[in-house]
Amino acid sequence: MKDNCICVLMVCCVCNTPLHGLDFFVFLCFSDVNSNSVAQKIYVEVNNTVPCVRLLNATHQIGCQSSISGDTGVIHVLESEADLEWPLTKGPNPPYMILLESHLFTRSIMMKIKKESSRIAGVTVVVPNTSPSEFSPHTTCPNENTGVYSDTYGPHLAHCNTTVWNPLGNGLSYEEFDFPVFSLKEDKQCYYDHNRVVNGSAPQYPLCAMQLFSHMFAVTDTATCMRRNDVINFSINPEMVCDPLGDFNVWGSIRPYNRSQLGHRDNESVVMAAARLDSRAFFWDVSTGAEGSISGFVTLLAAAHALRDVTQVAPPTHNILFAFFQGEAFDYIGSSRMVYDMQNGKFVIDLDNVHSLLEIGQVKRLVDNFQSSATGANFSLVEPGVSQPLPPSSLQRFLRAQNIPGIVLADHRAAFNNKYYESYYDNADNLNLRYPPNMTAEEQLEFLTDTAMALTEVATVVARALYKQAGGDGTQVDNIKADSKTVTQMLFGFLVQANNSWFQALIPPELKDMLSDPPDFYVGVASSSPAKAKPLTRLVQFLLANLTGTATNLTQDQCQKPDDLPDESVQMYSYLWVQGTVPHNGTEKGPFCVRASVRLSQALSPAFDLGEYASRNYSTWTESRWKFIKARIFLVASRDLEMLTLGVGVAVLFSSLLVTYFISTKADVLFSSAREPASAAY
Amino acid sequence: MTAAVFFGCAFIAFGPAFSLFIFTIAKDPLRVIILIAGAFFWLVSLLLSSLVWFIAMKATNAQDLNLQKGLLIFGCMFSVILQEVFRFGYYRLLRKANEGLAAISEEESSPISVREMAYVAGLGFGIMSGAFSMINTLSDSLGPGTVGMFGDSQYYFITSALMTLALTLLHTFWGVVFFDGCERKRWWVIVAVLCLHLVVSGLSLLNPLYVGSVPPVYVIMLLMAVWAFFSSGGSLHNLSLLWTCRKSNAETSS
């Protein structure tokens, strides 16, 4: 413990602060007698800090960085853009820590701050309660260098020359800041007490200041940090500097594939259906992507569920493979990996086996003004002309490798309808997920929202389209209907509360802690084993397994070792032991074993396997490592007081040296009558 | 607050103790031993008294704030009493050691007088007490922040250092006066030292009145300095001798 450095005697040091003059340490305080110290009088630790971290790719580093011992600045609450003058030029107490309301977190303000960053220690953004009218920190042209359009292929369509997909994007997520930027809960009391600027005059010391720690280890670009990673074998203090982004893709199929047979399959033609899982935001690990990705993959999960029964009864000619890609926000990590695996015979099928691909993009607004009484599809599908390029989608990676017929289903003809693309505000409110007031969580779980009904319509259409595309029996098409209860439960689980009874029933009992709120959809750093995949990925894996697989009678031991049984094969299926529901009427269903042809495949960019860290073809995104990230608030004293203290100290030291020397040389004169008293008999 | 405050407070708190150590103690190994043993005695007294307080605190209800405050005051007083008891115990030990030293020395008498031992013992108590007072606070003064967020005075570090300085010197003077009182069997001296020590410690119970508790302590320190000077053989005559000696030196040299 820092605050008991000299305490060899543990007992007295449990109670600490010095009351100078008091001969042992107890802190006289009126709240609690234990565990107080001087540090607690000084610093207030800020909880729940959300930093902006550094990400690197082949050419750039983006994100934010603090110095290794933290950045301290006097807090200044910005009231308007004009108010920037005070911290940037006029204020007498630099460096400043700027506190922004979320509506002031704009590109122009951040760029101005970035230019004068010598006077700025950092920026904190107050966590907002309501969303602004529009905000997207992503670029205007997402994934423009790794799609299918390039200078050699459709140059008039590349780099958003024809269609700007994200016109509201201000590109803040892809800027580099050399000061820390944090997102914190509002705490302006200290500022109002100490730092207010009255009539243009400077506030008096002591001033309220904040210190932010978010030191990132990696610099420059991915090639540099991966090279430094490799050096750790020879250094005394091995410490990795950065990690590649990635996770696992979830895929499943109607008819199972033997996973030990990889590469091309003769006479096999597969209809693929794809959706993306991940999203991102400016700050680390707080993205939701409700409209950007959740609407898409929930629809696909519902479609897969809808196809389960009809494909048992009347199997289609072609197989249907559902793929959920992770890491698509960062130059298509998941889909590029799957295409690479297909090209190199590392996947159960290869590109020649792919018949066509249907991708579900952002589909929230496909069904506007949903009428609950109407039946049938309430929307019509419109195909834009051939001059319209494909939006950023996983299909582009497949097309980059091979000409495959494909469709991207989206609710926007040209620019996105999503006003909060890849931002913190793309949440349940953006999807208009409304529940009546005064409902418990369980009741909300079951409630059929309008959004859920809308997405169910889309899922039904998608399922029917897939079935027909796969050559299914035309008479069966009308029997295909997506289940709106499933859709609304999925939306509730992913957007409101993951720890609900339905999700708990789908996963193994020991993974219950996975359902923490709120679920985060940032792809994060890659891990080597599927057991360590992100909670979102595993949740989608279990969902797909439960929705497309069958319940079996296997016991738990048999579920873990199904090869002992004659009919089961771990090569063809995966066997998952799940919790099962506990209905309220007491008939315990209990855990059971689900058999499904659902697997995880690694979603790590091929650039890292090939060692091409400066690759232009594949995603090269890495995330820097850091030691700790924290923030604290305290008062700072004026420089004058500090120098005064030092001056007084030096004066005391020198004068005491002089006086002591003088007295000790004259001691015989001063204490001359030092006669020993008669030695008493002690 | 920063390195400036750290060094400033360190110099204020430990400057005089450091200079006393360098010029009067460091050259004589016997004095060093007595100093360290004195510091150890103070440490043991602190350990025992805080043990008593800790047990009392744990055995009672931690939520009852008035009781805890009362226990604190009791603990403070008990610690002061125990320190003086240990000072007396150290006196007895040093007297015994003195006879032994006299026996083994080549000269007739002991190489160190009781007065010197009194001074060194007092300084030992003072240094250890000062260290325990100040090191904790010093380590927190290195960070960028200063005290004041919760309404405390922003002069916390300076007043801590000044109090530590006063306390170190006070322990030295108390040591001198105490041993002298024991030698001459003047028990009222011991009682007076004990009472003054209680007063000084009690002043710190007035916290968070940090700045206000410093002047009375300095007044007491000055009074104790005068008392210790006179009880260790000084007199006004010596002071005037010193003055004229310097004057005559100045005359003869000029």
Side-chain angles (χ1 to χ4, degrees), chain B residues 4 17 29 32 39 41 46 61 64 79 82 85 96 103 107 109 128 133 149 174 179 182 203-204 216 236 245 252-253:
Chain B
V32 173
F41 265 69
L46 184 73
N61 181 15
D64 186 357
S79 174
L82 205 59
V85 165
K96 281 255 163 56
E107 303 151 9
S109 60
M128 195 43 107
S133 284
M149 194 73 156
W174 283 331
F179 278 35
C182 289
L203 274 175
S204 72
L236 290 172
C245 200
T252 51
S253 62

mmCIF file of all heavy atoms in Angstrom, chain B residues 4 17 29 32 39 41 46 61 64 79 82 85 96 103 107 109 128 133 149 174 179 182 203-204 216 236 245 252-253:
data_model
loop_
_atom_site.group_PDB
_atom_site.id
_atom_site.type_symbol
_atom_site.label_atom_id
_atom_site.label_comp_id
_atom_site.label_asym_id
_atom_site.label_seq_id
_atom_site.Cartn_x
_atom_site.Cartn_y
_atom_site.Cartn_z
ATOM 1 N N ALA B 4 8.365 20.101 -6.030
ATOM 2 C CA ALA B 4 8.743 21.289 -5.255
ATOM 3 C C ALA B 4 8.178 21.208 -3.849
ATOM 4 O O ALA B 4 8.876 21.442 -2.856
ATOM 5 C CB ALA B 4 8.230 22.548 -5.960
ATOM 6 N N ALA B 17 16.557 18.298 12.170
ATOM 7 C CA ALA B 17 16.973 16.986 12.676
ATOM 8 C C ALA B 17 18.199 16.500 11.926
ATOM 9 O O ALA B 17 19.137 15.952 12.509
ATOM 10 C CB ALA B 17 15.821 15.978 12.528
ATOM 11 N N PRO B 29 30.256 7.329 17.442
ATOM 12 C CA PRO B 29 29.478 6.105 17.286
ATOM 13 C C PRO B 29 28.596 5.802 18.481
ATOM 14 O O PRO B 29 27.497 5.266 18.339
ATOM 15 C CB PRO B 29 30.532 5.017 17.075
ATOM 16 C CG PRO B 29 31.816 5.605 17.483
ATOM 17 C CD PRO B 29 31.710 7.070 17.368
ATOM 18 N N VAL B 32 25.470 7.627 18.121
ATOM 19 C CA VAL B 32 24.616 7.035 17.084
ATOM 20 C C VAL B 32 23.853 5.865 17.659
ATOM 21 O O VAL B 32 22.643 5.707 17.437
ATOM 22 C CB VAL B 32 25.464 6.596 15.877
ATOM 23 C CG1 VAL B 32 24.614 5.845 14.887
ATOM 24 C CG2 VAL B 32 26.101 7.790 15.212
ATOM 25 N N ALA B 39 15.228 5.761 19.253
ATOM 26 C CA ALA B 39 14.176 5.678 18.244
ATOM 27 C C ALA B 39 13.422 4.371 18.382
ATOM 28 O O ALA B 39 12.194 4.321 18.250
ATOM 29 C CB ALA B 39 14.790 5.795 16.845
ATOM 30 N N PHE B 41 12.979 2.621 21.079
ATOM 31 C CA PHE B 41 12.106 2.657 22.250
ATOM 32 C C PHE B 41 10.813 3.403 21.942
ATOM 33 O O PHE B 41 9.730 2.994 22.348
ATOM 34 C CB PHE B 41 12.823 3.339 23.431
ATOM 35 C CG PHE B 41 13.485 2.363 24.351
ATOM 36 C CD1 PHE B 41 14.593 1.633 23.944
ATOM 37 C CD2 PHE B 41 12.998 2.164 25.628
ATOM 38 C CE1 PHE B 41 15.190 0.732 24.785
ATOM 39 C CE2 PHE B 41 13.610 1.264 26.478
ATOM 40 C CZ PHE B 41 14.701 0.541 26.059
ATOM 41 N N LEU B 46 4.965 3.144 20.616
ATOM 42 C CA LEU B 46 3.891 3.379 19.658
ATOM 43 C C LEU B 46 3.174 2.080 19.320
ATOM 44 O O LEU B 46 1.946 2.016 19.234
ATOM 45 C CB LEU B 46 4.456 4.008 18.392
ATOM 46 C CG LEU B 46 3.381 4.370 17.379
ATOM 47 C CD1 LEU B 46 2.612 5.567 17.859
ATOM 48 C CD2 LEU B 46 3.988 4.657 16.030
ATOM 49 N N ASN B 61 -18.301 -1.224 18.451
ATOM 50 C CA ASN B 61 -19.103 -1.025 17.258
ATOM 51 C C ASN B 61 -18.461 0.040 16.364
ATOM 52 O O ASN B 61 -18.290 1.174 16.755
ATOM 53 C CB ASN B 61 -20.507 -0.570 17.696
ATOM 54 C CG ASN B 61 -21.418 -0.350 16.507
ATOM 55 O OD1 ASN B 61 -21.123 -0.771 15.406
ATOM 56 N ND2 ASN B 61 -22.527 0.323 16.761
ATOM 57 N N ASP B 64 -20.579 3.395 15.573
ATOM 58 C CA ASP B 64 -20.872 4.420 16.567
ATOM 59 C C ASP B 64 -19.749 5.454 16.537
ATOM 60 O O ASP B 64 -18.671 5.246 17.095
ATOM 61 C CB ASP B 64 -20.969 3.752 17.955
ATOM 62 C CG ASP B 64 -21.422 4.736 19.002
ATOM 63 O OD1 ASP B 64 -21.601 5.933 18.669
ATOM 64 O OD2 ASP B 64 -21.580 4.323 20.148
ATOM 65 N N SER B 79 -1.288 6.865 24.475
ATOM 66 C CA SER B 79 -0.012 6.774 23.770
ATOM 67 C C SER B 79 0.999 7.749 24.341
ATOM 68 O O SER B 79 2.177 7.424 24.516
ATOM 69 C CB SER B 79 -0.238 7.049 22.287
ATOM 70 O OG SER B 79 0.990 7.108 21.629
ATOM 71 N N LEU B 82 2.254 6.426 27.543
ATOM 72 C CA LEU B 82 3.150 5.291 27.331
ATOM 73 C C LEU B 82 4.508 5.752 26.808
ATOM 74 O O LEU B 82 5.558 5.191 27.169
ATOM 75 C CB LEU B 82 2.502 4.319 26.338
ATOM 76 C CG LEU B 82 2.959 2.871 26.445
ATOM 77 C CD1 LEU B 82 2.670 2.336 27.813
ATOM 78 C CD2 LEU B 82 2.257 2.028 25.401
ATOM 79 N N VAL B 85 6.441 6.945 29.669
ATOM 80 C CA VAL B 85 6.884 5.795 30.469
ATOM 81 C C VAL B 85 8.114 5.170 29.825
ATOM 82 O O VAL B 85 9.098 4.842 30.495
ATOM 83 C CB VAL B 85 5.720 4.771 30.580
ATOM 84 C CG1 VAL B 85 6.234 3.435 31.080
ATOM 85 C CG2 VAL B 85 4.653 5.310 31.496
ATOM 86 N N LYS B 96 22.077 2.524 33.703
ATOM 87 C CA LYS B 96 22.752 1.246 33.899
ATOM 88 C C LYS B 96 23.925 1.126 32.923
ATOM 89 O O LYS B 96 25.030 0.714 33.291
ATOM 90 C CB LYS B 96 21.781 0.085 33.634
ATOM 91 C CG LYS B 96 20.843 -0.227 34.732
ATOM 92 C CD LYS B 96 21.289 -1.499 35.449
ATOM 93 C CE LYS B 96 20.625 -1.621 36.810
ATOM 94 N NZ LYS B 96 19.168 -1.589 36.758
ATOM 95 N N ALA B 103 32.952 1.515 33.466
ATOM 96 C CA ALA B 103 33.822 0.423 33.919
ATOM 97 C C ALA B 103 34.795 0.009 32.836
ATOM 98 O O ALA B 103 35.951 -0.314 33.124
ATOM 99 C CB ALA B 103 32.970 -0.773 34.351
ATOM 100 N N GLU B 107 39.546 5.765 30.837
ATOM 101 C CA GLU B 107 39.566 6.815 31.842
ATOM 102 C C GLU B 107 38.694 6.405 33.012
ATOM 103 O O GLU B 107 38.027 5.392 33.004
ATOM 104 C CB GLU B 107 39.043 8.124 31.239
ATOM 105 C CG GLU B 107 39.822 8.575 30.024
ATOM 106 C CD GLU B 107 38.937 9.378 29.090
ATOM 107 O OE1 GLU B 107 37.801 9.702 29.495
ATOM 108 O OE2 GLU B 107 39.366 9.652 27.974
ATOM 109 N N SER B 109 36.009 8.013 34.097
ATOM 110 C CA SER B 109 34.556 8.235 33.967
ATOM 111 C C SER B 109 34.065 7.704 32.624
ATOM 112 O O SER B 109 34.832 7.329 31.751
ATOM 113 C CB SER B 109 34.265 9.728 34.087
ATOM 114 O OG SER B 109 34.963 10.380 33.046
ATOM 115 N N MET B 128 12.202 9.663 15.144
ATOM 116 C CA MET B 128 11.286 8.595 14.799
ATOM 117 C C MET B 128 9.847 9.100 14.783
ATOM 118 O O MET B 128 9.053 8.752 13.907
ATOM 119 C CB MET B 128 11.435 7.439 15.794
ATOM 120 C CG MET B 128 10.811 6.169 15.316
ATOM 121 S SD MET B 128 11.150 5.839 13.603
ATOM 122 C CE MET B 128 12.288 4.527 13.716
ATOM 123 N N SER B 133 5.231 10.763 11.503
ATOM 124 C CA SER B 133 4.259 11.811 11.187
ATOM 125 C C SER B 133 4.257 12.135 9.715
ATOM 126 O O SER B 133 3.218 12.375 9.129
ATOM 127 C CB SER B 133 4.596 13.098 11.946
ATOM 128 O OG SER B 133 4.237 13.002 13.270
ATOM 129 N N MET B 149 -10.076 19.231 -1.672
ATOM 130 C CA MET B 149 -11.310 18.843 -2.355
ATOM 131 C C MET B 149 -12.484 18.753 -1.403
ATOM 132 O O MET B 149 -13.617 19.051 -1.749
ATOM 133 C CB MET B 149 -11.070 17.476 -2.988
ATOM 134 C CG MET B 149 -12.086 17.103 -3.964
ATOM 135 S SD MET B 149 -11.882 18.055 -5.431
ATOM 136 C CE MET B 149 -12.655 17.021 -6.596
ATOM 137 N N TRP B 174 12.309 17.853 25.504
ATOM 138 C CA TRP B 174 11.708 17.080 26.573
ATOM 139 C C TRP B 174 12.673 16.037 27.107
ATOM 140 O O TRP B 174 12.703 15.771 28.298
ATOM 141 C CB TRP B 174 10.411 16.407 26.095
ATOM 142 C CG TRP B 174 9.251 17.323 26.017
ATOM 143 C CD1 TRP B 174 9.022 18.434 26.767
ATOM 144 C CD2 TRP B 174 8.155 17.209 25.129
ATOM 145 N NE1 TRP B 174 7.839 19.027 26.394
ATOM 146 C CE2 TRP B 174 7.275 18.287 25.381
ATOM 147 C CE3 TRP B 174 7.791 16.305 24.130
ATOM 148 C CZ2 TRP B 174 6.084 18.486 24.692
ATOM 149 C CZ3 TRP B 174 6.610 16.512 23.451
ATOM 150 C CH2 TRP B 174 5.766 17.598 23.734
ATOM 151 N N PHE B 179 15.387 13.936 31.598
ATOM 152 C CA PHE B 179 16.518 13.235 32.205
ATOM 153 C C PHE B 179 17.096 14.073 33.337
ATOM 154 O O PHE B 179 17.511 13.555 34.384
ATOM 155 C CB PHE B 179 17.592 12.950 31.151
ATOM 156 C CG PHE B 179 17.334 11.733 30.311
ATOM 157 C CD1 PHE B 179 16.053 11.368 29.948
ATOM 158 C CD2 PHE B 179 18.397 10.947 29.896
ATOM 159 C CE1 PHE B 179 15.832 10.248 29.179
ATOM 160 C CE2 PHE B 179 18.181 9.820 29.107
ATOM 161 C CZ PHE B 179 16.892 9.473 28.755
ATOM 162 N N CYS B 182 14.965 13.647 36.268
ATOM 163 C CA CYS B 182 15.174 12.351 36.918
ATOM 164 C C CYS B 182 16.462 12.348 37.717
ATOM 165 O O CYS B 182 16.531 11.793 38.820
ATOM 166 C CB CYS B 182 15.225 11.231 35.876
ATOM 167 S SG CYS B 182 13.649 10.880 35.130
ATOM 168 N N LEU B 203 -3.742 19.373 20.987
ATOM 169 C CA LEU B 203 -3.966 20.420 19.980
ATOM 170 C C LEU B 203 -4.263 19.816 18.621
ATOM 171 O O LEU B 203 -5.037 20.372 17.834
ATOM 172 C CB LEU B 203 -2.734 21.315 19.874
ATOM 173 C CG LEU B 203 -2.669 22.471 20.868
ATOM 174 C CD1 LEU B 203 -1.357 23.190 20.730
ATOM 175 C CD2 LEU B 203 -3.824 23.419 20.634
ATOM 176 N N SER B 204 -3.654 18.668 18.331
ATOM 177 C CA SER B 204 -3.910 18.088 17.018
ATOM 178 C C SER B 204 -5.297 17.493 16.926
ATOM 179 O O SER B 204 -5.802 17.250 15.836
ATOM 180 C CB SER B 204 -2.883 17.006 16.714
ATOM 181 O OG SER B 204 -3.148 15.877 17.513
ATOM 182 N N PRO B 216 0.326 27.805 18.676
ATOM 183 C CA PRO B 216 0.520 27.421 20.087
ATOM 184 C C PRO B 216 1.660 26.430 20.266
ATOM 185 O O PRO B 216 2.409 26.505 21.246
ATOM 186 C CB PRO B 216 -0.825 26.778 20.463
ATOM 187 C CG PRO B 216 -1.785 27.278 19.475
ATOM 188 C CD PRO B 216 -1.027 27.491 18.224
ATOM 189 N N LEU B 236 22.578 32.840 31.255
ATOM 190 C CA LEU B 236 22.674 34.117 30.571
ATOM 191 C C LEU B 236 24.121 34.582 30.532
ATOM 192 O O LEU B 236 24.561 35.235 29.590
ATOM 193 C CB LEU B 236 21.794 35.158 31.267
ATOM 194 C CG LEU B 236 20.293 34.901 31.085
ATOM 195 C CD1 LEU B 236 19.491 35.843 31.952
ATOM 196 C CD2 LEU B 236 19.927 35.067 29.628
ATOM 197 N N CYS B 245 33.055 37.122 23.602
ATOM 198 C CA CYS B 245 34.109 36.312 22.989
ATOM 199 C C CYS B 245 34.172 36.592 21.511
ATOM 200 O O CYS B 245 35.241 36.782 20.939
ATOM 201 C CB CYS B 245 33.833 34.829 23.248
ATOM 202 S SG CYS B 245 35.283 33.794 23.067
ATOM 203 N N THR B 252 40.500 41.344 18.172
ATOM 204 C CA THR B 252 41.883 40.903 18.039
ATOM 205 C C THR B 252 42.216 40.592 16.590
ATOM 206 O O THR B 252 43.352 40.748 16.159
ATOM 207 C CB THR B 252 42.157 39.645 18.875
ATOM 208 O OG1 THR B 252 41.157 38.681 18.555
ATOM 209 C CG2 THR B 252 42.125 39.970 20.340
ATOM 210 N N SER B 253 41.233 40.140 15.861
ATOM 211 C CA SER B 253 41.578 39.793 14.475
ATOM 212 C C SER B 253 41.608 41.001 13.572
ATOM 213 O O SER B 253 42.241 40.984 12.530
ATOM 214 C CB SER B 253 40.571 38.770 13.933
ATOM 215 O OG SER B 253 39.293 39.355 13.935
#
